[in-house]
Amino acid sequence: LVPSRGLGDVYKRQPWLKAWIDSFNGKAIPYLRAVRVADDVVGVAPLMIDQDCQCASFAGDTSVCDYLDFVIAPGREAEFFACLVRDLRRQSVQYLRLDHVRSDSSILTVFKDMAVNLGCQISSQAQDVSLALKLPNTWNKYLLQLPAKQRHEIRRKLRRLYEAGTVSYVLADKPADTGRVMDTFLKLFRQNHPHKAAFMTHQMTGFFRTLAKGLAESDMLKLFTLKIDAVPAAVVMCIDFRSTRYLYNNAYDIEFSRLSAGLLSKVLSLKDGIQSGLMTYDFLKGGEIYKKRLGGKPLQLYNCRVDLN
């Protein structure tokens, strides 16, 4: 197990990770390792170790990341975890704290079963849920798979929205456009609620800006602005990776609450995902009722502890 070359491999594939480390890493020691067998990369461990070297955890924060995991080539999980455990012990790490791990993560499906043979003990506790849905190939098919009441509500709200004025839904996904749209997003986000204003500190603002820029440079950012009569009513920040669209965040102007601008801006991002040929729409962490009403199916998230000694 070796350091990932200048962190470049991880950074190229993980603009979120780079943004978080640049903004929040603080006093923790980055532990970014690639497990290699010959010339093959078996997996990547994006961890950080606290200063007294007792605990290692994912490089990230559950306040800005919905679930976390190792990156492992399919079928190579056993090699990866055996190598990782040996190296962490050499670093005198006593335990791993792995928060918001999906129930289908190899941590729970593979590592937990092999832990005893590695001299480890793993405990897990259910924490939150993440919701996602499989996308059909047309918008009408999506609507038809919803309960009749929800299908009627979406159509009614969309009709009311388009009757309220000239509506546009504008995509910004290029680095040159990111700063301007993020200005609008951050302004609306702070106006939504006092708790959101308190959350969006100067440091957090820097993280969001760095993240948006990195995602745009990696062709992963989808930043949608819903406008009514040319006035920004809502901004949706999504991340596209492979065949999935992830709903990362949303902000809206409370003056347009009567038109359900926040909800419909997300609905339109889902519709765009269908029209773009994506296979999955991931609402990410949180069991908010609107996610279920839009067809999201829950997946349990766990907090795990791995005692290495």
Side-chain angles (χ1 to χ4, degrees):
L1 186 144
V2 298
S4 187
R5 291 191 295 269
L7 308 188
D9 292 346
V10 176
Y11 278 7
K12 288 177 184 176
R13 296 178 181 271
Q14 296 286 347
W16 179 89
L17 180 60
K18 180 182 187 303
W20 188 87
I21 289 176
D22 289 348
S23 301
F24 293 112
N25 191 45
K27 297 179 180 180
I29 303 167
Y31 177 95
L32 306 179
R33 297 291 193 271
V35 176
R36 300 176 187 274
V37 176
D39 294 329
D40 295 332
V41 176
V42 171
V44 175
L47 298 173
M48 57 185 180
I49 301 175
D50 63 18
Q51 282 192 309
D52 61 11
C53 296
Q54 289 190 338
C55 174
S57 57
F58 285 122
D61 189 313
T62 53
S63 67
V64 292
C65 188
D66 295 78
Y67 44 77
L68 299 154
D69 210 337
F70 300 108
V71 182
I72 310 173
R76 310 298 292 270
E77 294 87 357
E79 295 169 273
F80 173 83
F81 286 120
C83 190
L84 176 65
V85 167
R86 288 196 300 270
D87 194 72
L88 288 171
R89 284 171 173 158
R90 283 196 291 266
Q91 306 291 332
S92 300
V93 173
Q94 296 183 17
Y95 67 96
L96 279 162
R97 189 187 71 244
L98 307 174
D99 294 335
H100 286 192
V101 173
R102 289 166 50 118
S103 58
D104 58 357
S105 166
S106 58
I107 296 167
L108 295 172
T109 62
V110 177
F111 190 22
K112 197 167 186 177
D113 290 337
M114 61 183 292
V116 173
N117 291 335
L118 293 175
C120 304
Q121 289 186 337
I122 299 182
S123 58
S124 59
Q125 181 177 3
Q127 287 298 313
D128 211 328
V129 294
S130 178
L131 285 91
L133 67 93
K134 297 297 181 182
L135 296 176
N137 56 9
T138 70
W139 173 245
N140 283 336
K141 286 182 181 178
Y142 164 71
L143 291 175
L144 288 173
Q145 72 185 25
L146 297 177
K149 181 180 179 181
Q150 299 309 321
R151 181 166 62 248
H152 170 75
E153 279 296 295
I154 290 175
R155 285 172 170 163
R156 183 183 66 83
K157 288 176 179 178
L158 284 172
R159 183 168 59 250
R160 186 178 60 178
L161 173 69
Y162 282 96
E163 289 172 351
T166 302
V167 175
S168 60
Y169 196 64
V170 183
L171 169 64
D173 59 357
K174 305 302 181 188
D177 302 322
T178 297
R180 171 180 51 81
V181 181
M182 287 303 295
D183 287 343
T184 302
F185 168 82
L186 292 166
K187 177 183 176 181
L188 295 179
F189 190 93
R190 294 189 186 98
Q191 291 176 351
N192 281 170
H193 195 279
H195 290 311
K196 288 193 171 185
F199 170 81
M200 194 56 72
T201 62
H202 177 75
Q203 190 178 33
M204 189 63 71
T205 297
F207 166 74
F208 269 84
R209 290 190 183 280
T210 301
L211 175 61
K213 182 175 181 293
L215 290 170
E217 290 171 349
S218 300
D219 296 321
M220 296 167 66
L221 180 69
K222 299 296 178 183
L223 204 55
F224 297 99
T225 304
L226 173 62
K227 295 184 179 181
I228 303 173
D229 292 332
V231 178
V235 178
V236 183
M237 185 177 183
C238 295
I239 302 170
D240 281 11
F241 184 66
R242 293 179 178 168
S243 60
T244 299
R245 173 161 294 170
Y246 299 88
L247 174 62
Y248 186 68
N249 223 307
N250 173 240
Y252 65 94
D253 188 335
I254 57 175
E255 294 297 322
F256 293 100
S257 295
R258 60 184 177 82
L259 296 174
S260 304
L263 173 66
L264 292 181
S265 63
K266 294 188 275 283
V267 168
L268 291 172
S269 74
L270 191 158
K271 182 178 182 180
D272 178 87
I274 293 171
Q275 294 172 339
S276 299
L278 298 177
M279 303 296 292
T280 305
Y281 190 94
D282 194 329
F283 292 98
L284 294 177
K285 183 183 68 180
E288 293 91 335
I289 190 63
Y290 84 86
K291 298 178 181 180
K292 298 176 183 178
R293 288 174 176 170
L294 293 180
K297 305 300 181 185
L299 182 71
Q300 187 67 55
L301 301 179
Y302 292 86
N303 286 354
C304 302
R305 176 178 171 125
V306 183
D307 289 294
L308 300 175
N309 299 316

